[in-house]
Amino acid sequence: MKHIITALVENQPGVLARIVGLISGRGFNIESLNVAPTQDPTTSRMTMKVPGDDRVLEQVTKQLNKLVDVIKVSDLTQKHYLNRELILVEVAASPQKRAEIVELAGLFDAKVVSVQANSLTIQMVGEQDKADDFLNLLKPFRILDVSRSGVIAVARAE
């Protein structure tokens, strides 16, 4: 199972390194990680996707809560939450295939952000599953490069 964990942390040098070191030092992997300041410039929100069972999640959250720089840790996995991911993908696109690729992008509310002689670069923002589906459908066109932001998430009010 993949857990989505958010941590509200103090916006200080070294906090990210301590948190990543704590998690990786215990043999756990971080599949995706996103960090950015919140509306309060003294705090940042970290969103992590951590694969593992409930025991892994419990260990990670307990250890994170022990760090001085961590204000609050939340496991969103079993809660109602919104998630988004940004992807930029460069796809091989001969003149004969461009219309087909642009049409596919439109179905996913993605847009072409750059046109090169033999490729298109497409931007898509959506839920992580939708981003995965989009990339899978682009594979037959030959993906040349892809960059993903990693998941960001926020809990929804109950």
Side-chain angles (χ1 to χ4, degrees):
M1 182 173 193
K2 295 181 181 172
H3 298 277
I4 304 295
I5 300 169
T6 63
L8 187 62
V9 300
E10 292 181 16
N11 195 1
Q12 298 291 327
V15 173
L16 174 61
R18 282 191 290 282
I19 290 174
V20 170
L22 180 145
I23 294 170
S24 65
R26 283 158 180 75
F28 303 130
N29 188 34
I30 298 174
E31 199 167 281
S32 79
L33 172 66
N34 190 294
V35 184
T38 65
Q39 73 281 7
D40 175 359
T42 66
T43 63
S44 289
R45 179 169 321 281
M46 296 181 68
T47 306
M48 297 170 276
K49 185 171 160 185
V50 180
D53 57 22
D54 290 339
R55 183 190 63 77
V56 169
L57 172 72
E58 184 179 344
Q59 287 237 328
V60 168
T61 55
K62 281 182 179 177
Q63 294 298 321
L64 287 174
N65 277 312
K66 290 181 182 179
L67 292 176
V68 174
D69 300 316
V70 174
I71 299 164
K72 182 180 179 185
V73 177
S74 299
D75 171 25
L76 301 181
T77 310
Q78 301 299 326
K79 297 180 181 177
H80 293 290
Y81 67 94
L82 299 172
N83 77 80
R84 294 292 182 270
E85 184 174 13
L86 166 68
I87 63 171
L88 291 172
V89 59
E90 184 180 6
V91 182
S94 64
Q96 301 86 345
K97 293 288 185 181
R98 285 190 186 193
E100 191 177 350
I101 294 169
V102 170
E103 183 179 350
L104 178 61
L107 293 173
F108 283 84
D109 295 324
K111 63 182 183 177
V112 175
V113 293
S114 181
V115 178
Q116 295 78 238
N118 296 310
S119 66
L120 297 173
T121 302
I122 302 167
Q123 168 188 298
M124 195 220 125
V125 176
E127 290 189 357
Q128 197 167 27
D129 292 342
K130 185 177 175 183
D132 291 338
D133 292 344
F134 182 54
L135 290 173
N136 284 330
L137 289 171
L138 286 174
K139 282 181 183 175
F141 297 102
R142 198 164 59 92
I143 294 173
L144 302 173
D145 196 11
V146 65
S147 183
R148 299 178 75 156
S149 66
V151 68
I152 58 170
V154 63
R156 293 177 54 188
E158 295 293 325

